[in-house]
Amino acid sequence: MSELPILTSYIDGHFINSDTHFDNINPVNGQTVARISEATPKMIEDAVISARAAQDSTWGKMTVNERCALLHKVADRMAEREEEFITAEITDTGKSLFQVKTIDIPRGTANFRFFADLAKFNSGETFITDTPTGDKALNYSVNKPLGVVGVISPWNLPLLLATWKIAPAMACGNSVILKPSEETSSTAFLLAKVMDEVGIPKGAFNLILGRGSAVGDALTSHHGIDAITFTGASSTGKQIMRSVAERVKPISFELGGKNSAIVFADADLNKAIKGVTRSSFTNCGQVCLCTEKVYVHRSLFDAFIQGLKREAEQIKIGYPKDKDVFIGPLVSKVHQQKVLSYYQLAKNEGATFVTGGGVPKFNDERDMGCFIEPTIITGLSDDARVNQEEIFGPICHVSPFDDEDEVIERVNNTDYGLAASVWTENISRAHRVSPQLDVGLVWVNTWFLRDLRAPFGGVKLSGIGREGGKHSLAFYSEPVNICVHI
Ligand code: NAD
């Protein structure tokens, strides 16, 4: 058997192995494809020292134009190595080639280009102030980097979500220490290679690999880290909040969701069925924005269920690179067991299964993987656990509703508040309902259509703050106000 590749951390411009390794598993067939070297406490310490040194010398001293030219080179090199990024992402996650090729990897590259261009416009504010003595003062602010930013990213859109934070943080002049999910380290490792190849000064970008409870916690609690930007589960967000409290570090949190779709009586039924199929089952339900609850006006309920069932049953599940495959497996056995436990809970809570509920059988190596059936259920109350807890798999519960106020109240009946989608052909209704939903993002007659300039984030348990466009620049910089008596 050939030697398995080893993915290592990247610290102070060097790829560094350690004595502790764990397996990187391909969720398509359960095979080990690489070994991941877990960063030691000393390596984390070295990463922080190196990131700080880059602030005080190279990266921190560059002009915004010099920095952003280098970040464009990162994007160029990522584009040149696109096939390797695609293969790495598919091997770690099992997601379909179509998705990786059209979303994950191009968006990763686009994040660097977009924020490299935007950071040049990171201007401050000016005010002429009248003083009590009749003089004037000039107040102006300048934006400085925060310093060393810890980036902690999840496994569901690994490269896309890591670069969504790394790119603006670096464009604003910060040094970054990235801790990707232990489930999906491969594209982060490749990104470190790219940073090295294009000549990002040592220490400006560091990668530390390892498990959240060990490496992630050591990073967030380190006194040398100036801010933490985190995407992941709400429960992990709570732990990180405790850990940064000691130093009152700035945090940006993009957390879990329990997102609803509302299909009004005046919706284009076909469009809504196709849209909800996509919003419930894309990436095997593993997008924080995925729909897990669907409210359908009673007049359309039966037709909608029939249509959604038909679409769900036509979804092609299989090898990520096979033609027309829409979804591959879930990310891991642990996650498959978690989602299956919710399928079981739905049964225990009395749900009716319209389709799905189990594991597909292939009679080949894929039966050792983490596949799962797209599932539609009905018949549960809004307070059922299945309708309150984030499942993060390809499952949605569909309920009927009768009027607008009722459905708004039901959609808002959750501790989460990330996203919602509204399906209606009535433009007044769309504008009336959308702002009444307690979420950070509403899509009308579409889903997951993103503009990198627009604010992105959630309320309640779904997060703190917004990223995207000027919101990212605001988080990753520290404004200093200077007041000059004239
Ligand atoms: P997770 O919270 O388990 O892990 C996310 C990251 O945090 C990983 O890198 C992990 O190693 C690290 N981590 C775990 N424990 C830690 C600790 N104590 N200290 C520091 N770091 C720690 O999340 P996941 O399972 O990887 O991702 C799925 C979750 O992410 C879902 O809840 C999903 O909704 C959420 N998510 C949110 C968004 C958003 O934009 N709001 C986007 C994608 C995913």
Side-chain angles (χ1 to χ4, degrees):
M1 197 176 111
S2 60
E3 285 266 301
L4 289 170
I6 295 180
L7 309 185
T8 69
S9 297
Y10 176 70
I11 296 163
D12 197 34
H14 301 285
F15 288 92
I16 300 179
N17 204 348
S18 68
D19 294 334
T20 310
H21 298 89
F22 56 90
D23 288 343
N24 186 25
I25 309 267
N26 180 348
V28 169
N29 54 17
Q31 301 222 327
T32 303
V33 286
R35 302 272 296 153
I36 295 171
S37 148
E38 183 156 69
T40 62
K42 162 89 170 62
M43 285 161 68
I44 297 167
E45 191 64 38
D46 289 347
V48 175
I49 291 169
S50 168
R52 179 69 55 199
Q55 278 298 292
D56 297 339
S57 55
T58 52
W59 193 246
K61 301 289 180 208
M62 277 185 189
T63 66
V64 66
N65 283 341
E66 288 167 338
R67 271 199 316 266
C68 293
L70 269 175
L71 294 179
H72 269 289
K73 281 194 180 172
V74 171
D76 293 343
R77 188 68 185 130
M78 286 171 77
E80 283 165 15
R81 299 188 70 169
E82 186 182 52
E83 286 305 318
E84 291 167 81
F85 276 98
I86 289 173
T87 302
E89 204 74 302
I90 290 178
T91 309
D92 278 1
T93 62
K95 59 175 76 186
S96 74
L97 174 64
F98 173 75
Q99 188 191 311
V100 175
K101 216 178 163 114
T102 56
I103 302 178
D104 293 69
I105 307 305
R107 268 283 304 279
T109 313
N111 283 334
F112 279 105
R113 294 201 198 287
F114 173 77
F115 285 110
D117 292 339
L118 189 72
K120 293 175 188 164
F121 298 93
N122 193 12
S123 58
E125 296 169 296
T126 56
F127 302 99
I128 301 288
T129 310
D130 295 319
T131 71
T133 53
D135 297 338
K136 298 221 179 270
L138 169 67
N139 276 284
Y140 70 98
S141 60
V142 292
N143 289 315
K144 298 204 312 193
L146 296 163
V148 180
V149 174
V151 174
I152 301 180
S153 54
W155 47 256
N156 64 322
L157 301 164
L159 184 73
L160 187 161
L161 289 172
T163 54
W164 169 244
K165 292 171 176 297
I166 297 164
M170 291 183 74
C172 289
N174 300 283
S175 303
V176 158
I177 302 178
L178 168 65
K179 210 295 287 168
S181 169
E182 53 273 43
E183 303 286 355
T184 53
S185 303
S186 300
T187 46
F189 179 67
L190 264 178
L191 181 63
K193 296 246 175 208
V194 164
M195 295 275 181
D196 197 61
E197 283 165 3
V198 304
I200 293 289
K202 63 179 187 175
F205 173 83
N206 299 274
L207 170 69
I208 54 168
L209 299 183
R211 286 162 284 207
S213 50
V215 173
D217 192 46
L219 185 67
T220 56
S221 55
H222 197 291
H223 284 193
I225 301 285
D226 296 301
I228 291 288
T229 176
F230 168 72
T231 302
S234 304
S235 53
T236 311
K238 289 181 198 175
Q239 290 178 39
I240 293 177
M241 229 168 159
R242 280 185 212 111
S243 139
V244 300
E246 183 65 27
R247 305 284 291 189
V248 217
K249 290 175 195 165
I251 45 171
S252 175
F253 277 0
E254 296 177 338
L255 308 178
K258 187 73 185 175
N259 311 304
S260 294
I262 311 174
V263 181
F264 284 102
D266 48 31
D268 175 329
L269 182 62
N270 211 22
K271 205 158 64 175
I273 289 169
K274 290 207 181 295
V276 171
T277 304
R278 205 167 70 81
S279 71
S280 295
F281 304 127
T282 292
N283 204 33
C284 217
Q286 303 166 116
V287 180
C288 53
L289 311 162
C290 273
T291 303
E292 292 192 359
K293 294 191 292 178
V294 189
Y295 293 95
V296 182
H297 191 266
R298 200 175 296 278
S299 61
L300 298 181
F301 188 75
D302 291 342
F304 182 88
I305 288 280
Q306 269 181 30
L308 193 67
K309 176 178 189 313
R310 188 187 59 239
E311 292 291 327
E313 289 175 353
Q314 280 172 8
I315 286 176
K316 192 163 169 199
I317 311 173
Y319 282 114
K321 289 188 174 174
D322 277 4
K323 191 167 177 298
D324 297 331
V325 161
F326 182 62
I327 53 175
L330 292 167
V331 74
S332 65
K333 276 280 167 208
V334 169
H335 193 54
Q336 186 196 39
Q337 286 314 310
K338 178 190 156 187
V339 177
L340 283 173
S341 77
Y342 276 101
Y343 287 10
Q344 183 57 46
L345 178 64
K347 285 178 193 146
N348 298 347
E349 288 188 314
T352 301
F353 280 68
V354 175
T355 189
V359 172
K361 193 97 187 105
F362 296 99
N363 294 318
D364 59 31
E365 59 165 5
R366 287 172 292 182
D367 292 338
M368 305 296 287
C370 312
F371 290 86
I372 197 157
E373 287 174 346
T375 297
I376 303 167
I377 54 174
T378 59
L380 295 181
S381 75
D382 289 343
D383 293 328
R385 275 184 56 204
V386 165
N387 275 333
Q388 288 292 333
E389 296 173 18
E390 182 187 49
I391 300 172
F392 220 53
I395 177 170
C396 64
H397 178 272
V398 192
S399 340
F401 73 90
D402 294 297
D403 74 61
E404 198 176 289
D405 289 343
E406 171 211 335
V407 78
I408 292 170
E409 193 182 323
R410 290 175 69 188
V411 166
N412 290 340
N413 172 22
T414 160
D415 289 335
Y416 292 98
L418 187 55
S421 44
V422 174
W423 299 87
T424 175
E425 294 297 303
N426 177 336
I427 191 165
S428 302
R429 191 198 290 281
H431 288 293
R432 188 171 59 238
V433 170
S434 300
Q436 294 185 66
L437 303 175
D438 296 339
V439 294
L441 304 146
V442 180
W443 279 285
V444 178
N445 295 331
T446 185
W447 175 78
F448 202 4
L449 183 60
R450 290 277 303 121
D451 183 323
L452 301 185
R453 295 168 296 185
F456 182 93
V459 301
K460 300 196 268 185
L461 279 186
S462 293
I464 298 179
R466 294 290 180 277
E467 296 197 35
K470 65 180 184 187
H471 303 274
S472 298
L473 301 186
F475 178 74
Y476 294 108
S477 353
E478 198 74 83
V480 180
N481 189 68
I482 298 165
C483 178
V484 183
H485 187 207
I486 300 171

